[in-house]
Amino acid sequence: MATSNYSLKVNRELLDPGFESYRLSLDAIPTYGVELDAAVEEVKLKDTHYTLEHMRAFGMYNYLHLDPWYEDSVLFVDCKGRVLGLTVTLDTALGQPVEFYRITANSSQSEHRLCASLSLTSATWAALSDGAGRLYLLRTGKRGDSSHTKWEPLFSEDTGEPFTVLHSVSHVQEGVHTMEVLLLRIQKDPQEAKGSGYSVALEWITVANTAGHGPEKKYEVKKRRVLRGKSVPHYAAVEPLGKGLMVASEKPFAFTHVDGRPVEPPHPEPMEVEKTDPIYFWQQTEEDVTVCVRMPEGVTKEEVQFRLSADRIRLGVQGFPSILEGQLHSNVDPDASAWIIKDNKSLEVTLQKRSEGPLWSELVTGDKRGEYVMSDEQAALIHERLTFLTSEDLDGDPDGNKPPCNSQELEDCDGFPEDGSSLTHFDGESLEPTQVVNLGSHQYLFTVDVNPSEMPYFCLRHDVDALVWRPRPDQPSDMWEHVATFNALGYVQASKRDKKFATCAPNFSYASLGECLRRAFIYRQPAAVETVLFNRKQGRQVGQVAKQQVASLDSDEPILGFRATNERLYVLTSGRLFVLKICNQKELL
């Protein structure tokens, strides 16, 4: 299966170029808390966990889990190995977390143990790791019921090495119940001699019930697939029906093993590229574009077929296929454009640009059969602008009036990650990448569960904004859809040096940043103001204001978990669970 490079398509209607800034609001955020009878099960990194990837995977782990099937229900694991859950209906009457399951004591004694991790697979199933290498698949029943049914383990396996559960899904096809679980490990890699000595492994396990007629069907592993890479993925999720996998990471991943057998890397046959002469040549100035097309000798003007609109061109000879046809790089003025036949063997077309100034990178979008010819004046101008790069005189001011750029004066929020991240979709059958997006400087910000029947959404930095993207694996031609924007959040979050967590409400009404200790920042979407406000600089009335709020928690313990719903923000420390009422029912309507 061929891999195609894909570009994320920004919905310009969701951008606000006129956004000014967030206005600090001093409105108090109602905050409630629950004292935990046992501390949250925080596992400190060992001396052997010294790499940056260990810190990213386990040191920044979010210990709080949001149940997307049941609104305002959160779960976590405490130091006694208990899976506890809290469902909030009335903020002023918070009950104590309820125990659903208890991990056996043997698991907590492992020397190389990681933090326990939980993934809610469906409305009635969950995947749990004890942190010591054992995977549980638990039938939970309907978790939203007030009966608080104990979870029942129907599958348990000791995998041998500690891991965390990244994602899991459940689906039923032809009467067979199947669960897809994605595990993360950081393992010693003897082949990684020059680097840290570790590599990152993703294990995709498929567990299904066996055919049977009894009341209880046995669950067994049907397939194991292992991917390896050099960096902890920012995002990794299985498609709802288990037909594919999406991974966003700084370094690429590739499948290495299936059911214990090595995967042979593809060896594509070398392609012989036939070098062909260009069928047209083109030049441009700031005002127009000139195209010279080869034509059969003796062609008359009556045989020339030429059609030109503001954004498309079609050029050919009667009785022959079109020589040049397609979407122009930019709009032109058809009335001011013309063509002539030169020397009875070439056709010269002059296109008048609609907008003067910008140079075109290509004539017809996607057409590589032509050759761009640069004029002597353009070559001299480019040479002059680049002279300072090779000059012995360190002139950082090639434009004369502009001050030289000093990298030391840049703020942290002006920088971008040095490594080029990528977003890849893998086909579940061929295990080959089908779509690859070069994220470039689009920094990965956070993941959010919006619809439990879909893959998790993710948020990327785009210039200064933060854009939320919806994966659509069933639409290969448009696999990622831009669905929401948080204005200037990309710039704002980069300025928070102590930021540990980031998230947003499933309805995108607000985004929130959590620091390592105590503070949480809330950034609301622009909303209409009840009073008349004016911009003092521009003298115009302001119709909408985006509010920023800061919540300071009454705790000196590190923040371990951070989740948001449409109404509330949940913050977990080792000894307390805080509930912040962000929106009321009136605001949601």
Side-chain angles (χ1 to χ4, degrees):
M1 182 176 296
T3 304
S4 60
N5 292 323
Y6 185 90
S7 297
L8 298 177
K9 301 175 183 177
V10 176
N11 184 353
R12 298 293 173 183
E13 295 181 357
L14 297 179
L15 302 182
D16 183 8
F19 181 80
E20 296 179 353
S21 64
Y22 289 97
R23 308 296 183 188
L24 180 62
S25 172
L26 300 181
D27 296 340
I29 299 177
T31 303
Y32 311 91
V34 177
E35 293 285 348
L36 306 180
D37 58 4
V40 175
E41 187 236 13
E42 181 187 10
V43 177
K44 303 292 185 181
L45 295 181
K46 310 297 188 297
D47 291 340
T48 55
H49 300 162
Y50 57 84
T51 70
L52 177 61
E53 305 312 319
H54 283 96
M55 175 58 67
R56 286 177 173 174
F58 313 127
M60 304 292 286
Y61 184 75
N62 196 334
Y63 286 79
L64 191 60
H65 308 278
L66 187 66
D67 193 334
W69 279 271
Y70 302 98
E71 190 173 4
D72 284 292
S73 293
V74 292
L75 301 101
F76 59 93
V77 182
D78 69 5
C79 60
K80 296 181 179 180
R82 298 180 299 173
V83 179
L84 302 175
L86 177 69
T87 299
V88 178
T89 54
L90 185 62
D91 301 274
T92 55
L94 298 177
Q96 283 295 317
V98 177
E99 177 181 342
F100 293 116
Y101 185 77
R102 185 187 292 259
I103 300 173
T104 57
N106 295 336
S107 301
S108 61
Q109 306 302 320
S110 174
E111 178 183 355
H112 302 288
R113 184 169 176 268
L114 303 174
C115 53
S117 55
L118 177 69
S119 174
L120 299 169
T121 308
S122 70
T124 56
W125 285 84
L128 175 68
S129 163
D130 65 356
R134 180 166 290 276
L135 172 66
Y136 299 91
L137 295 182
L138 307 165
R139 185 166 60 186
T140 66
K142 292 186 177 181
R143 297 183 292 272
D145 293 348
S146 57
S147 59
H148 305 307
T149 305
K150 294 288 185 179
W151 295 1
E152 180 184 6
L154 292 187
F155 174 85
S156 175
E157 181 187 62
D158 187 357
T159 64
E161 293 183 79
F163 61 87
T164 56
V165 181
L166 290 185
H167 186 239
S168 61
V169 295
S170 172
H171 55 91
V172 178
Q173 294 180 350
E174 299 179 354
V176 178
H177 179 216
T178 304
M179 285 173 283
E180 316 282 351
V181 187
L182 194 60
L183 314 179
L184 169 69
R185 295 187 180 91
I186 299 181
Q187 301 172 318
K188 276 283 188 180
D189 188 352
Q191 297 181 354
E192 184 69 9
K194 296 182 180 180
S196 63
Y198 287 88
S199 66
V200 180
L202 295 178
E203 185 175 8
W204 176 7
I205 300 178
T206 300
V207 179
N209 59 4
T210 56
H213 302 285
E216 291 293 338
K217 296 182 179 181
K218 184 179 180 181
Y219 285 82
E220 296 179 348
V221 174
K222 296 299 183 182
K223 197 170 186 178
R224 300 177 187 270
R225 289 139 290 192
V226 177
L227 304 87
R228 289 194 179 275
K230 300 299 182 183
S231 63
V232 172
H234 302 298
Y235 175 95
V238 184
E239 291 183 21
L241 297 179
K243 295 182 178 180
L245 176 72
M246 290 187 188
V247 178
S249 59
E250 292 180 1
K251 305 292 177 60
F253 275 78
F255 281 91
T256 59
H257 292 79
V258 175
D259 294 331
R261 299 186 302 272
V263 175
E264 292 294 333
H267 297 288
E269 296 182 1
M271 297 178 58
E272 294 184 3
V273 180
E274 182 180 355
K275 187 174 181 180
T276 59
D277 295 331
I279 66 172
Y280 65 89
F281 299 87
W282 65 289
Q283 285 184 315
Q284 65 177 319
T285 65
E286 293 184 352
E287 295 82 17
D288 57 38
V289 176
T290 302
V291 187
C292 184
V293 183
R294 295 180 178 181
M295 306 285 282
E297 290 191 23
V299 172
T300 63
K301 64 179 182 180
E302 288 78 13
E303 296 175 307
V304 175
Q305 295 180 339
F306 179 79
R307 291 183 183 178
L308 180 67
S309 63
D311 59 351
R312 294 190 67 85
I313 186 173
R314 182 178 182 275
L315 179 61
V317 178
Q318 186 176 353
F320 294 90
S322 298
I323 300 175
L324 183 62
E325 182 177 6
Q327 180 90 21
L328 292 170
H329 181 272
S330 297
N331 287 355
V332 298
D333 183 357
D335 296 333
S337 303
W339 60 270
I340 60 171
I341 297 178
K342 298 185 67 175
D343 302 329
N344 290 327
K345 60 181 180 180
S346 64
L347 185 73
E348 185 176 287
V349 182
T350 302
L351 305 175
Q352 187 70 30
K353 293 182 179 179
R354 181 80 71 178
S355 301
E356 296 184 2
L359 296 180
W360 294 8
S361 58
E362 56 184 346
L363 178 63
V364 174
T365 304
D367 194 321
K368 307 298 183 184
R369 300 174 301 163
E371 180 178 321
Y372 177 60
V373 180
M374 188 178 299
S375 66
D376 294 339
E377 293 79 4
Q378 291 172 338
L381 179 60
I382 293 176
H383 178 74
E384 181 182 351
R385 288 181 174 273
L386 298 180
T387 300
F388 74 97
L389 293 176
T390 56
S391 173
E392 295 181 0
D393 182 14
L394 297 179
D395 180 14
D397 189 12
D399 293 327
N401 298 325
K402 298 180 182 179
C405 175
N406 185 351
S407 60
Q408 295 180 352
E409 296 177 358
L410 294 176
E411 301 179 37
D412 292 341
C413 45
D414 292 316
F416 293 103
E418 294 182 0
D419 294 324
S421 300
S422 63
L423 172 63
T424 306
H425 172 265
F426 293 93
D427 179 72
E429 290 295 329
S430 67
L431 306 182
E432 294 291 332
T434 63
Q435 301 271 17
V436 178
V437 178
N438 181 11
L439 298 180
S441 60
H442 300 310
Q443 178 188 2
Y444 190 90
L445 300 182
F446 58 83
T447 301
V448 58
D449 285 311
V450 175
N451 186 338
S453 63
E454 299 181 0
M455 299 182 72
Y457 293 20
F458 55 88
C459 185
L460 302 176
R461 177 176 177 176
H462 181 87
D463 197 7
V464 298
D465 296 332
L467 275 54
V468 181
W469 298 88
R470 172 195 178 196
R472 301 190 296 184
D474 56 334
Q475 300 186 31
S477 61
D478 193 13
M479 194 169 287
W480 294 280
E481 178 189 12
H482 173 204
V483 294
T485 300
F486 292 101
N487 298 304
L489 185 66
Y491 184 86
V492 170
Q493 62 83 31
S495 66
K496 305 298 182 186
R497 293 179 177 269
D498 296 327
K499 182 198 71 175
K500 185 176 182 180
F501 298 111
T503 188
C504 75
N507 64 358
F508 314 123
S509 58
Y510 70 92
S512 185
L513 306 177
E515 293 189 335
C516 299
L517 287 171
R518 189 171 297 179
R519 291 198 300 177
F521 299 86
I522 293 91
Y523 301 91
R524 299 179 183 269
Q525 294 284 15
V529 293
E530 299 178 355
T531 58
V532 178
L533 295 178
F534 282 89
N535 185 304
R536 288 180 293 179
K537 293 183 178 180
Q538 300 179 2
R540 59 177 177 82
Q541 184 174 343
V542 178
Q544 291 185 322
V545 170
K547 292 184 179 180
Q548 171 193 353
Q549 294 174 279
V550 183
S552 184
L553 305 178
D554 184 18
S555 174
D556 293 328
E557 298 172 335
I559 294 177
L560 302 179
F562 199 78
R563 300 289 181 181
T565 65
N566 293 336
E567 291 187 53
R568 301 173 179 88
L569 180 67
Y570 296 86
V571 183
L572 180 69
T573 66
S574 60
R576 297 187 71 183
L577 174 61
F578 292 91
V579 181
L580 285 67
K581 189 63 177 290
I582 306 299
C583 302
N584 54 39
Q585 290 293 337
K586 181 180 178 181
E587 291 175 316
L588 293 176
L589 297 175

